[in-house]
Amino acid sequence: MKVKPNTLLLMACLVWAAAGANILRIGVLAYPGHATVGNLFLSGAVFVLFQKFVFGKLVVKHAKRIGDYGAEPQFFLKFFDGRSFVVMAVMMAGGIGLRMSGIAPDPFIAVFYSGLGTALLLAGILFGCHYGRALWAAAME
């Protein structure tokens, strides 16, 4: 199934926002009893690191790649490239394995997942902003 490139931006928005909201939910649910100023600071640091060095760059890279498609309809899964699907699968498997194994204590889950989930959610929102800009640009033509 092929879709307009702008639709790829919307799909990326929805996928990243859903993943981010879920990860953030897991982190927030693990926070009761562990909410200290230090832990909140660490969650903020995790957010900043992932946003600056991973997801912020990823959004820019994929939005540009999608924009370079022009108006030509694309296969609906091309909102990511192959490498990004592998990264997402590894992150999901690692996160599920980490939680199910019990290796990571609740304070770690609270801190790390809250920061990571917030960064993922922001990536989804930023993809949504690119989608909105693309719609606006198309309407102005």
Side-chain angles (χ1 to χ4, degrees), residues 64-135:
K64 180 184 179 335
R65 180 181 53 77
I66 290 168
D68 288 346
Y69 291 147
E72 185 70 29
Q74 300 292 320
F75 183 61
F76 76 102
L77 291 178
K78 287 185 87 173
F79 63 91
F80 277 166
D81 57 13
R83 182 174 177 227
S84 293
F85 276 111
V86 170
V87 168
M88 182 174 260
V90 168
M91 286 178 60
M92 288 173 60
I96 292 167
L98 190 64
R99 282 194 335 275
M100 294 191 77
S101 71
I103 294 172
D106 276 352
F108 174 82
I109 298 293
V111 167
F112 187 75
Y113 277 53
S114 294
L116 177 64
T118 304
L120 281 164
L121 181 58
L122 180 57
I125 292 167
L126 292 173
F127 272 117
C129 291
H130 283 280
Y131 173 69
R133 277 188 232 127
L135 284 182

